[in-house]
Amino acid sequence: LIELVEIPAGSYYMGSEGKGENFDEAPSHKVNISKAFRMGATEVTNAQYELFRPEHKKLRGKNNVSTEDDDAVVNVSYQDAVDFCQWLSEKEGKTYRLPTEAEWEYAAKYDPESKTYHKYAGGSSPSSYAWYTDNSQNALHSVGTKSANALGLYDMSGNVIEWCQDIYTNYGSGNPDLGKDERVLRGGYYGSAISAVKTTSRGSCNYTVKQPAFGLRLCLQ
């Protein structure tokens, strides 16, 4: 059902400290991805999600977004995404889940061939790799229609915003109550400015909210 890409273990610096970055991207800090994992090559599509929840088809085209089988599914809350992971795990006898925020950023920015980390998921400029405000015509697109990043993942920047496992908090805040009902969203979407499709850009929303830009990508450990 889901095409998966192997993501190697490794260490990297998460976040950024450059001028003009969002306050919640700092401080940059070292993170260890201790085990290799697999991640969906694309965002989950309407056709894939509707095997789990057929009634979701009535939301296709809502707000003129996401109408085709191969379009990234949207109007999916964090809880919907978790329920889909659980359903697929039971169906296939494997453990599917959402990526952690650290895994997501690592997979988006890491280039194993050059051993470098990119500002956008694919390279120095997002135009070849991402649907965002400058090139999307304010429309969501079918998955995998831009180039993949160095690890073979499509649409890590732009197209739809992707839920991560984590409760949202500022890096290093030490405050477990900050955003306790907020879950992390990553990657920006088709209507995002270029600054919001960086590999370090962060977003969040209440775990119950569905929006025409909220979708998901799976991991398998």
Side-chain angles (χ1 to χ4, degrees):
L1 177 62
I2 305 292
E3 180 185 352
L4 298 165
V5 172
E6 184 80 9
I7 311 298
S11 297
Y12 78 109
Y13 282 89
M14 185 176 181
S16 62
E17 294 179 347
K19 291 182 180 180
E21 308 291 357
N22 290 337
F23 73 96
D24 63 351
E25 294 178 28
S28 178
H29 53 287
K30 192 171 186 178
V31 172
N32 181 41
I33 305 298
S34 60
K35 294 181 180 179
F37 62 97
R38 284 179 281 175
M39 178 177 271
T42 69
E43 295 150 338
V44 173
T45 67
N46 281 320
Q48 290 167 339
Y49 186 79
E50 288 162 7
L51 292 173
F52 156 62
R53 189 163 282 168
E55 64 270 24
H56 186 273
K57 194 164 187 176
K58 68 185 179 184
L59 296 177
R60 287 203 198 187
K62 184 178 180 181
N63 302 111
N64 297 314
V65 170
S66 191
T67 59
E68 304 299 324
D69 281 356
D70 290 335
D71 287 353
V73 69
V74 293
N75 291 302
V76 173
S77 70
Y78 171 87
Q79 189 60 56
D80 291 335
V82 169
D83 291 346
F84 176 72
C85 292
Q86 183 176 352
W87 169 82
L88 188 59
S89 297
E90 292 172 356
K91 178 180 174 63
E92 296 195 359
K94 303 173 183 176
T95 304
Y96 289 94
R97 57 177 176 79
L98 295 176
T100 67
E101 185 180 15
E103 288 171 340
W104 189 98
E105 184 174 321
Y106 176 71
K109 74 198 301 186
Y110 182 51
D111 184 337
E113 192 166 315
S114 63
K115 305 294 184 185
T116 57
Y117 298 89
H118 295 299
K119 184 174 183 178
Y120 302 103
S124 59
S125 170
S127 58
S128 296
Y129 304 92
W131 294 112
Y132 64 111
T133 190
D134 288 358
N135 64 7
S136 71
Q137 293 78 50
N138 199 36
L140 183 150
H141 292 261
S142 294
V143 301
T145 52
K146 286 288 188 179
S147 297
N149 75 357
L151 287 170
L153 302 169
Y154 295 87
D155 301 308
M156 292 294 282
S157 287
N159 208 33
V160 302
I161 304 172
E162 300 173 16
W163 289 107
C164 294
Q165 283 186 23
D166 307 60
I167 294 174
Y168 173 79
T169 184
N170 291 341
Y171 296 150
S173 71
N175 182 356
D177 294 323
L178 179 63
K180 62 185 178 180
D181 294 324
E182 302 275 310
R183 295 301 190 274
V184 172
L185 289 155
R186 283 300 201 114
Y189 77 110
Y190 58 89
S192 291
I194 191 171
S195 60
V197 297
K198 301 189 318 308
T199 54
T200 55
S201 292
R202 308 176 72 215
S204 67
C205 196
N206 185 283
Y207 70 95
T208 63
V209 172
K210 307 172 194 278
Q211 291 284 350
F214 290 1
L216 72 151
R217 185 183 304 262
L218 299 187
C219 280
L220 179 66
Q221 192 81 56

